[in-house]
Amino acid sequence: MISLILLAPPAAGKGTLSHLLEEEYHLEHISTGDLLREEIKKETPLGKQIKSVIDEGAFVSDDVIIRLIEQKLTSPSCKNGYILDGFPRNIAQAQAYDALLKKLHLSLGKVLLLEADKDLLEKRTVGRRICENCGAIYNIYVKESMPKEENICDRCHGPLIKRKDDSIAVFQARYQTYLEKTHPLIDYYRGKGVLYTIDATTGKDQMLVYAKKIIDCE
Ligand code: AMP
């Protein structure tokens, strides 16, 4: 069973790479950001509670996130393997995930770290568009990621929208949170010998080539 963690600063392409790997290896794609946005869209009690947190680029509480992850990992959709996109996001979540893996008798798998510099990430953030229907990700400033038709999804013809948290101010806040909270996970997973680095400036096709080499190597 393949299990992967994608670790990356905001807008490095972890959503895009996750979708590609999901298709390539038939893995369940678990995006905590998507799960949270679904709660907001459905206006559940949790959704109402977390909306302002997400809009500001801050983190939702660890308890909420761990509960969402446990629900997912124990569902049949994950039995062939899964990709974690956006989790864990801090050391406490990584430790809780270790405990959960132990409880469920699952192994940690590999951690893919996507690397790109801050200026590029800022530009990608402002140009990002998401399909409201299927979640496919595009970028109007990155040639190979532009939709064929303006504001229309290539895959399902759904409408493309700009996420409210894809502004420069929110990017700055999210990047700072990444440095403070998520960046320490690099050493955490390096210490466990499961960390692999991918150059995220090369475009999605090349990123997929790198990722496949890492995943297919025993
Ligand atoms: P993403 O789509 O992964 O960029 O996540 C969007 C937003 O959802 C983040 O800026 C956080 O507010 C929240 N979020 C997603 N995953 C987590 C997590 N593992 N822990 C805390 N907050 C999260």
Side-chain angles (χ1 to χ4, degrees):
M1 175 169 141
I2 296 175
S3 50
L4 300 169
I5 294 175
L6 294 196
L7 199 59
K14 63 183 166 53
T16 304
L17 183 60
S18 297
H19 280 296
L20 295 173
L21 292 173
E22 181 187 1
E23 280 172 15
E24 187 75 30
Y25 293 96
H26 308 289
L27 303 173
E28 179 73 355
H29 172 207
I30 307 175
S31 157
T32 40
D34 284 351
L35 292 174
L36 296 169
R37 281 184 289 274
E38 251 169 55
E39 297 286 329
I40 295 174
K41 205 167 155 188
K42 286 193 272 174
E43 298 186 338
T44 62
L46 172 63
K48 287 179 187 157
Q49 189 190 321
I50 61 179
K51 188 178 181 313
S52 60
V53 176
I54 293 195
D55 285 349
E56 283 162 16
F59 278 0
V60 172
S61 84
D62 294 340
D63 288 355
V64 166
I65 299 290
I66 304 291
R67 233 182 310 133
L68 287 174
I69 291 291
E70 179 157 11
Q71 263 171 25
K72 269 291 195 184
L73 292 194
T74 49
S75 75
S77 61
C78 284
K79 74 175 190 328
N80 290 331
Y82 56 88
I83 311 165
L84 289 173
D85 162 6
F87 172 88
R89 226 70 166 211
N90 59 28
I91 297 283
Q93 290 183 10
Q95 288 168 338
Y97 182 51
D98 287 342
L100 186 60
L101 290 174
K102 207 168 163 192
K103 186 170 128 186
L104 302 177
H105 306 290
L106 295 170
S107 62
L108 177 58
K110 292 177 180 172
V111 179
L112 310 183
L113 169 67
L114 311 189
E115 280 190 329
D117 68 54
K118 192 180 167 194
D119 291 346
L120 178 70
L121 297 174
E122 187 174 304
K123 191 170 170 208
R124 281 189 187 169
T125 298
V126 182
R128 182 155 60 178
R129 300 292 181 272
I130 316 266
C131 173
E132 200 174 28
N133 204 19
C134 72
I137 300 164
Y138 299 87
N139 201 298
I140 59 167
Y141 296 134
V142 180
K143 205 171 153 214
E144 58 150 25
S145 303
M146 284 175 189
K148 291 195 184 90
E149 256 182 276
E150 204 178 326
N151 290 324
I152 305 235
C153 178
D154 295 354
R155 262 189 1 193
C156 75
H157 302 288
L160 302 187
I161 53 162
K162 184 174 160 106
R163 264 168 41 182
K164 205 172 167 193
D165 58 346
D166 279 342
S167 67
I168 290 184
V170 174
F171 169 79
Q172 298 282 1
R174 294 176 76 209
Y175 193 80
Q176 195 54 36
T177 312
Y178 168 78
L179 286 183
E180 284 167 20
K181 309 260 175 72
T182 310
H183 196 264
L185 291 178
I186 296 174
D187 280 345
Y188 184 85
Y189 286 122
R190 189 175 281 131
K192 288 178 181 284
V194 294
L195 188 84
Y196 300 83
T197 302
I198 292 178
D199 179 354
T201 64
T202 53
K204 61 181 179 180
D205 295 337
Q206 193 55 42
M207 277 209 303
L208 179 63
V209 172
Y210 290 145
K212 281 172 67 178
K213 269 192 193 149
I214 295 164
I215 295 164
D216 295 341
C217 151
E218 288 305 317

